């Protein structure tokens, strides 16, 4: 049976759980980890998978996804024990500005502040801040 291409789906967990067609990009995890950069700038054209890749990184590293190795089974990063032991071991705060599509500076600033407040409230209400 052919796999469905989940067009526009930007959540790694959903893509894997629903077995949507997915081109394995988990080598990015290994390459990034081994470089040891302090700062990483990821640029790609629009609709090129930036948000999905960031979701993949979040699900791999975040302590909120500890023990969720099934999301990575069968993918490149899961072949080495070294990386399997890294999964779910880091505190991660994920921010996406993908939905910021305002037409003025003031509205853009307000939208970004709203996103930051939502992230803060999420972590503050859970007692993790």
């Amino acid at each position: 049976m052919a796999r469905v291409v989940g067009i526009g789906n930007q959540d790694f967990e959903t893509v894997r759980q629903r077995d949507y067609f997915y081109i394995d990009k988990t080598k990015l995890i290994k390459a990034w980890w081994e470089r040891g950069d302090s700062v990483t700038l990821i640029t790609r054209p629009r609709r090129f998978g930036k948000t999905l890749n960031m979701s993949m990184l979040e699900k791999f590293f975040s302590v909120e996804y500890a023990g969720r190795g099934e999301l990575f089974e069968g993918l490149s990063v899961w072949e080495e024990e070294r990386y399997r032991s890294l999964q779910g071991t880091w505190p991660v705060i994920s921010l996406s500005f993908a939905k910021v599509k305002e037409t003025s500076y003031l509205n853009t600033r307000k939208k970004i502040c709203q996103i930051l407040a939502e992230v803060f409230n999420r972590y503050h209400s859970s007692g993790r801040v």
Side-chain angles (χ1 to χ4, degrees), residues 12-73:
F12 181 77
E13 181 178 12
T14 302
V15 168
R16 294 293 289 161
Q17 286 179 334
R18 294 184 182 171
D19 199 28
Y20 290 157
F21 181 77
Y22 174 72
I23 295 173
D24 186 357
K25 304 250 179 128
T26 60
K27 286 185 180 181
L28 169 68
I29 295 168
K30 295 195 294 190
W32 179 77
W33 186 259
E34 290 172 7
R35 287 179 66 125
D37 295 338
S38 296
V39 175
T40 302
L41 175 63
I42 298 175
T43 60
R44 296 286 183 273
R46 184 174 183 270
R47 309 288 310 155
F48 211 77
K50 294 179 297 293
T51 304
L52 180 58
N53 279 341
M54 296 308 294
S55 176
M56 172 192 67
L57 289 168
E58 176 188 9
K59 273 43 172 203
F60 185 80
F61 287 108
S62 178
V63 294
E64 291 183 44
Y65 288 86
R68 297 292 311 277
E70 78 277 0
L71 295 174
F72 296 92
E73 287 177 2

Side-chain angles (χ1 to χ4, degrees), residues 63-120:
V63 294
E64 291 183 44
Y65 288 86
R68 297 292 311 277
E70 78 277 0
L71 295 174
F72 296 92
E73 287 177 2
L75 299 177
S76 175
V77 74
W78 212 245
E79 293 172 359
E80 296 178 49
E81 173 58 35
R82 173 182 177 196
Y83 292 100
R84 288 193 300 268
S85 65
L86 276 175
Q87 196 276 321
T89 59
W90 290 88
V92 174
I93 296 175
S94 180
L95 295 171
S96 174
F97 299 124
K99 294 181 181 174
V100 178
K101 306 208 184 289
E102 308 307 316
T103 58
S104 72
Y105 170 77
L106 183 60
N107 289 339
T108 300
R109 187 174 180 277
K110 284 181 184 178
K111 184 67 174 179
I112 291 172
C113 287
Q114 177 187 358
I115 290 169
L116 293 172
E118 288 170 1
V119 170
F120 174 81

